[in-house]
Amino acid sequence: MKTSFDVFNGDADGICALIQLRLATPKNSKLITGVKRDIALLKQVDPAVAQDVTVLDVAMGKNRAALDNLLSQGVRVFYVDHHNPDEIPEHNALTTHINTAANTCTSLIVDKLLEGKYREWALVGAYGDNLFAVADTLANKTGLSDADKEKLKQFGTYLNYNGYGASLADLLFSPAELYRFLAPYPSPFNFIAERPDVYSTLEQGYLSDSEKAASIVPISEEAGSRVFMLPDEAWARRISGVFSNDLANQDPARANAVITAKADGNYLVSIRAPLKNRIGADELAAKFPTGGGRKAAAGINALPAEQLSEFINAFHQQYLLAT
């Protein structure tokens, strides 16, 4: 028997994009996801049993071979994303909605496709992706109060925080489990009211890890950029992405790199371009093995230890004129 698959990034944007789609078009599907940086997900879909595949918030370039394999075997693929896709194949079984603009995310692309039907979930995804100004503007047009906007911003931040880790063992909830908790609710406000157990676990975890990160100071600093180092500990891996976003929001004119030590001696890197000049993060990350991402936010999954100094120098050079 053929199966439908939903393949999605395990962060706030990927989860909230899927929630919107499945509220609009319910489907009994098999979920494939992982920690935020686990984006080579499409290879987990077995073409022999796949009827159709929905792909959300995972870069096409990192999944091209698996995508071509699915298409060649007649599997229908619906692909929505905001990362650089490299080259998009032309195939009658492939439908794409890809927008790489720095001021959008997958949840907002889905929101447009659904004409705002589940706008509050789209806002959670956008806030979680650190698109605060964009989300605020859309929330104002929707008529949300300042208190409601703040609640959605906090929720998006907590969902995004939960996606970071070296493995699922680092996370408070696996992304698939978290999606299943959230999916039945037409509004995030309904979920917050009815599942305080899940919400408070996310909130308390975020606040506890943020408190630990508050003492971290730059290891290298230039006029337009700062570099921070986090230890090889589970709390640091969980907070690294949200910590990067917080740094970007603190000083919109500066770029920030957050480097997290790994057990194997290499490093995990989060790069945030200045909010006032949201470009260059993807180009910089792509210069190093396992690097990739978007213009405004990118990362390197396994920076070799011997390239640490090279990366720091390249990072400062990239954003020398950021101010």
Short mmCIF file of all heavy atoms in Angstrom, two decimals, residues 130-165:
data_model
loop_
_atom_site.label_atom_id
_atom_site.label_comp_id
_atom_site.label_asym_id
_atom_site.label_seq_id
_atom_site.Cartn_x
_atom_site.Cartn_y
_atom_site.Cartn_z
N ASN A 130 13.07 34.35 13.66
CA ASN A 130 13.68 35.64 13.96
C ASN A 130 13.27 36.74 12.97
O ASN A 130 13.98 37.73 12.82
CB ASN A 130 15.21 35.55 14.04
CG ASN A 130 15.82 36.65 14.89
OD1 ASN A 130 15.28 37.00 15.94
ND2 ASN A 130 16.92 37.21 14.46
N LEU A 131 12.13 36.60 12.34
CA LEU A 131 11.62 37.64 11.45
C LEU A 131 10.65 38.52 12.25
O LEU A 131 9.46 38.66 11.92
CB LEU A 131 10.92 37.01 10.24
CG LEU A 131 11.81 36.18 9.32
CD1 LEU A 131 10.98 35.51 8.23
CD2 LEU A 131 12.90 37.06 8.69
N PHE A 132 11.18 39.14 13.29
CA PHE A 132 10.32 39.88 14.22
C PHE A 132 9.59 41.03 13.54
O PHE A 132 8.38 41.21 13.73
CB PHE A 132 11.15 40.41 15.40
CG PHE A 132 11.59 39.36 16.37
CD1 PHE A 132 11.27 38.02 16.20
CD2 PHE A 132 12.34 39.70 17.49
CE1 PHE A 132 11.67 37.04 17.11
CE2 PHE A 132 12.75 38.75 18.41
CZ PHE A 132 12.41 37.42 18.21
N ALA A 133 10.32 41.83 12.77
CA ALA A 133 9.71 43.01 12.14
C ALA A 133 8.64 42.60 11.13
O ALA A 133 7.55 43.18 11.10
CB ALA A 133 10.78 43.87 11.47
N VAL A 134 8.94 41.59 10.34
CA VAL A 134 7.98 41.10 9.35
C VAL A 134 6.74 40.55 10.04
O VAL A 134 5.61 40.84 9.64
CB VAL A 134 8.63 40.01 8.47
CG1 VAL A 134 7.61 39.40 7.51
CG2 VAL A 134 9.81 40.59 7.68
N ALA A 135 6.96 39.75 11.08
CA ALA A 135 5.84 39.15 11.81
C ALA A 135 5.01 40.23 12.50
O ALA A 135 3.77 40.16 12.51
CB ALA A 135 6.36 38.14 12.82
N ASP A 136 5.67 41.23 13.09
CA ASP A 136 4.93 42.31 13.75
C ASP A 136 4.02 43.04 12.76
O ASP A 136 2.86 43.35 13.07
CB ASP A 136 5.89 43.31 14.39
CG ASP A 136 6.44 42.84 15.73
OD1 ASP A 136 5.83 41.93 16.34
OD2 ASP A 136 7.46 43.39 16.18
N THR A 137 4.56 43.33 11.58
CA THR A 137 3.77 44.03 10.56
C THR A 137 2.55 43.22 10.16
O THR A 137 1.43 43.74 10.06
CB THR A 137 4.64 44.32 9.32
OG1 THR A 137 5.73 45.16 9.70
CG2 THR A 137 3.83 45.00 8.23
N LEU A 138 2.76 41.92 9.93
CA LEU A 138 1.65 41.05 9.54
C LEU A 138 0.64 40.90 10.68
O LEU A 138 -0.57 40.87 10.46
CB LEU A 138 2.19 39.68 9.11
CG LEU A 138 1.21 38.72 8.44
CD1 LEU A 138 0.60 39.34 7.19
CD2 LEU A 138 1.93 37.42 8.08
N ALA A 139 1.15 40.80 11.90
CA ALA A 139 0.26 40.68 13.06
C ALA A 139 -0.59 41.94 13.23
O ALA A 139 -1.78 41.86 13.58
CB ALA A 139 1.08 40.42 14.32
N ASN A 140 0.02 43.10 12.98
CA ASN A 140 -0.73 44.35 13.08
C ASN A 140 -1.85 44.41 12.05
O ASN A 140 -2.98 44.83 12.34
CB ASN A 140 0.20 45.54 12.90
CG ASN A 140 1.15 45.73 14.08
OD1 ASN A 140 0.86 45.28 15.19
ND2 ASN A 140 2.27 46.39 13.84
N LYS A 141 -1.55 43.95 10.84
CA LYS A 141 -2.57 43.91 9.78
C LYS A 141 -3.70 42.95 10.14
O LYS A 141 -4.84 43.14 9.74
CB LYS A 141 -1.93 43.50 8.45
CG LYS A 141 -1.00 44.54 7.85
CD LYS A 141 -0.43 44.04 6.53
CE LYS A 141 0.49 45.09 5.91
NZ LYS A 141 1.12 44.61 4.64
N THR A 142 -3.34 41.92 10.90
CA THR A 142 -4.33 40.92 11.31
C THR A 142 -5.18 41.41 12.47
O THR A 142 -6.22 40.83 12.78
CB THR A 142 -3.61 39.60 11.67
OG1 THR A 142 -2.77 39.21 10.58
CG2 THR A 142 -4.60 38.47 11.93
N GLY A 143 -4.70 42.47 13.15
CA GLY A 143 -5.46 43.03 14.25
C GLY A 143 -5.14 42.45 15.61
O GLY A 143 -5.93 42.59 16.54
N LEU A 144 -3.98 41.81 15.75
CA LEU A 144 -3.61 41.24 17.04
C LEU A 144 -3.13 42.32 18.00
O LEU A 144 -2.50 43.30 17.59
CB LEU A 144 -2.51 40.19 16.85
CG LEU A 144 -2.89 38.91 16.08
CD1 LEU A 144 -1.68 38.01 15.96
CD2 LEU A 144 -4.03 38.18 16.78
N SER A 145 -3.41 42.12 19.25
CA SER A 145 -2.97 43.06 20.28
C SER A 145 -1.47 42.89 20.54
O SER A 145 -0.86 41.87 20.17
CB SER A 145 -3.74 42.83 21.57
OG SER A 145 -3.39 41.57 22.14
N ASP A 146 -0.88 43.87 21.22
CA ASP A 146 0.53 43.76 21.58
C ASP A 146 0.77 42.55 22.48
O ASP A 146 1.80 41.87 22.35
CB ASP A 146 0.99 45.03 22.30
CG ASP A 146 1.11 46.22 21.36
OD1 ASP A 146 1.11 46.01 20.13
OD2 ASP A 146 1.18 47.36 21.86
N ALA A 147 -0.16 42.28 23.37
CA ALA A 147 -0.01 41.13 24.26
C ALA A 147 -0.05 39.82 23.48
O ALA A 147 0.73 38.89 23.75
CB ALA A 147 -1.11 41.13 25.33
N ASP A 148 -0.93 39.73 22.49
CA ASP A 148 -1.01 38.53 21.66
C ASP A 148 0.25 38.36 20.82
O ASP A 148 0.76 37.25 20.66
CB ASP A 148 -2.23 38.59 20.75
CG ASP A 148 -3.53 38.29 21.49
OD1 ASP A 148 -3.45 37.78 22.63
OD2 ASP A 148 -4.60 38.57 20.93
N LYS A 149 0.75 39.45 20.28
CA LYS A 149 1.99 39.39 19.50
C LYS A 149 3.14 38.88 20.36
O LYS A 149 3.94 38.04 19.92
CB LYS A 149 2.33 40.77 18.93
CG LYS A 149 1.46 41.22 17.78
CD LYS A 149 1.99 42.48 17.13
CE LYS A 149 1.94 43.66 18.04
NZ LYS A 149 2.41 44.91 17.38
N GLU A 150 3.23 39.38 21.58
CA GLU A 150 4.31 38.96 22.47
C GLU A 150 4.19 37.48 22.81
O GLU A 150 5.19 36.76 22.87
CB GLU A 150 4.29 39.80 23.74
CG GLU A 150 5.45 39.52 24.69
CD GLU A 150 6.81 39.79 24.07
OE1 GLU A 150 6.90 40.66 23.19
OE2 GLU A 150 7.79 39.13 24.48
N LYS A 151 2.98 36.99 22.99
CA LYS A 151 2.78 35.58 23.31
C LYS A 151 3.20 34.69 22.13
O LYS A 151 3.85 33.66 22.32
CB LYS A 151 1.31 35.32 23.67
CG LYS A 151 0.99 33.87 24.01
CD LYS A 151 1.82 33.36 25.18
CE LYS A 151 1.40 33.96 26.49
NZ LYS A 151 2.11 33.34 27.64
N LEU A 152 2.84 35.10 20.91
CA LEU A 152 3.23 34.33 19.73
C LEU A 152 4.74 34.38 19.52
O LEU A 152 5.35 33.40 19.10
CB LEU A 152 2.50 34.84 18.49
CG LEU A 152 0.98 34.68 18.47
CD1 LEU A 152 0.41 35.19 17.15
CD2 LEU A 152 0.58 33.23 18.69
N LYS A 153 5.34 35.54 19.82
CA LYS A 153 6.79 35.67 19.69
C LYS A 153 7.50 34.73 20.66
O LYS A 153 8.46 34.04 20.30
CB LYS A 153 7.21 37.12 19.95
CG LYS A 153 8.70 37.37 19.79
CD LYS A 153 9.07 38.80 20.19
CE LYS A 153 8.42 39.83 19.29
NZ LYS A 153 8.88 41.21 19.62
N GLN A 154 7.04 34.70 21.90
CA GLN A 154 7.63 33.80 22.89
C GLN A 154 7.47 32.35 22.46
O GLN A 154 8.42 31.56 22.54
CB GLN A 154 6.97 34.03 24.25
CG GLN A 154 7.31 35.35 24.90
CD GLN A 154 6.50 35.61 26.15
OE1 GLN A 154 5.49 34.95 26.41
NE2 GLN A 154 6.93 36.57 26.96
N PHE A 155 6.28 32.01 22.01
CA PHE A 155 6.01 30.62 21.61
C PHE A 155 6.91 30.22 20.44
O PHE A 155 7.49 29.13 20.44
CB PHE A 155 4.53 30.49 21.24
CG PHE A 155 4.06 29.05 21.13
CD1 PHE A 155 4.77 28.00 21.68
CD2 PHE A 155 2.88 28.77 20.46
CE1 PHE A 155 4.32 26.69 21.58
CE2 PHE A 155 2.42 27.46 20.34
CZ PHE A 155 3.14 26.42 20.90
N GLY A 156 7.03 31.09 19.44
CA GLY A 156 7.90 30.79 18.30
C GLY A 156 9.34 30.60 18.73
O GLY A 156 10.05 29.71 18.25
N THR A 157 9.78 31.43 19.66
CA THR A 157 11.15 31.32 20.18
C THR A 157 11.35 29.99 20.89
O THR A 157 12.38 29.32 20.70
CB THR A 157 11.44 32.48 21.15
OG1 THR A 157 11.32 33.73 20.43
CG2 THR A 157 12.83 32.37 21.75
N TYR A 158 10.37 29.57 21.68
CA TYR A 158 10.48 28.31 22.41
C TYR A 158 10.50 27.12 21.44
O TYR A 158 11.27 26.16 21.63
CB TYR A 158 9.33 28.13 23.39
CG TYR A 158 9.21 29.22 24.44
CD1 TYR A 158 8.00 29.44 25.10
CD2 TYR A 158 10.30 30.03 24.77
CE1 TYR A 158 7.88 30.44 26.06
CE2 TYR A 158 10.18 31.03 25.72
CZ TYR A 158 8.97 31.23 26.36
OH TYR A 158 8.84 32.21 27.31
N LEU A 159 9.65 27.16 20.43
CA LEU A 159 9.61 26.06 19.44
C LEU A 159 10.94 25.98 18.70
O LEU A 159 11.46 24.89 18.45
CB LEU A 159 8.47 26.27 18.46
CG LEU A 159 7.04 26.09 18.96
CD1 LEU A 159 6.06 26.25 17.81
CD2 LEU A 159 6.86 24.73 19.62
N ASN A 160 11.48 27.14 18.34
CA ASN A 160 12.75 27.13 17.61
C ASN A 160 13.88 26.63 18.51
O ASN A 160 14.73 25.84 18.07
CB ASN A 160 13.06 28.54 17.10
CG ASN A 160 13.78 28.51 15.78
OD1 ASN A 160 13.34 27.83 14.85
ND2 ASN A 160 14.87 29.24 15.67
N TYR A 161 13.87 27.07 19.74
CA TYR A 161 14.86 26.62 20.72
C TYR A 161 14.86 25.10 20.82
O TYR A 161 15.92 24.46 20.89
CB TYR A 161 14.53 27.26 22.07
CG TYR A 161 14.94 26.49 23.28
CD1 TYR A 161 16.27 26.48 23.71
CD2 TYR A 161 13.99 25.77 24.02
CE1 TYR A 161 16.63 25.77 24.86
CE2 TYR A 161 14.36 25.07 25.16
CZ TYR A 161 15.68 25.06 25.57
OH TYR A 161 16.04 24.36 26.69
N ASN A 162 13.68 24.49 20.81
CA ASN A 162 13.59 23.04 20.96
C ASN A 162 14.22 22.27 19.81
O ASN A 162 14.57 21.11 19.96
CB ASN A 162 12.12 22.60 21.09
CG ASN A 162 11.99 21.12 21.32
OD1 ASN A 162 12.22 20.61 22.41
ND2 ASN A 162 11.62 20.38 20.27
N GLY A 163 14.40 22.90 18.66
CA GLY A 163 14.93 22.18 17.50
C GLY A 163 16.43 22.01 17.48
O GLY A 163 16.95 21.21 16.70
N TYR A 164 17.13 22.74 18.31
CA TYR A 164 18.60 22.72 18.27
C TYR A 164 19.17 21.63 19.16
O TYR A 164 18.75 21.46 20.30
CB TYR A 164 19.17 24.07 18.69
CG TYR A 164 19.10 25.12 17.62
CD1 TYR A 164 17.97 25.92 17.48
CD2 TYR A 164 20.15 25.31 16.73
CE1 TYR A 164 17.91 26.90 16.50
CE2 TYR A 164 20.09 26.27 15.74
CZ TYR A 164 18.97 27.07 15.63
OH TYR A 164 18.90 28.03 14.66
N GLY A 165 20.16 20.93 18.62
CA GLY A 165 20.85 19.90 19.37
C GLY A 165 21.66 19.05 18.42
O GLY A 165 21.43 19.04 17.21
#
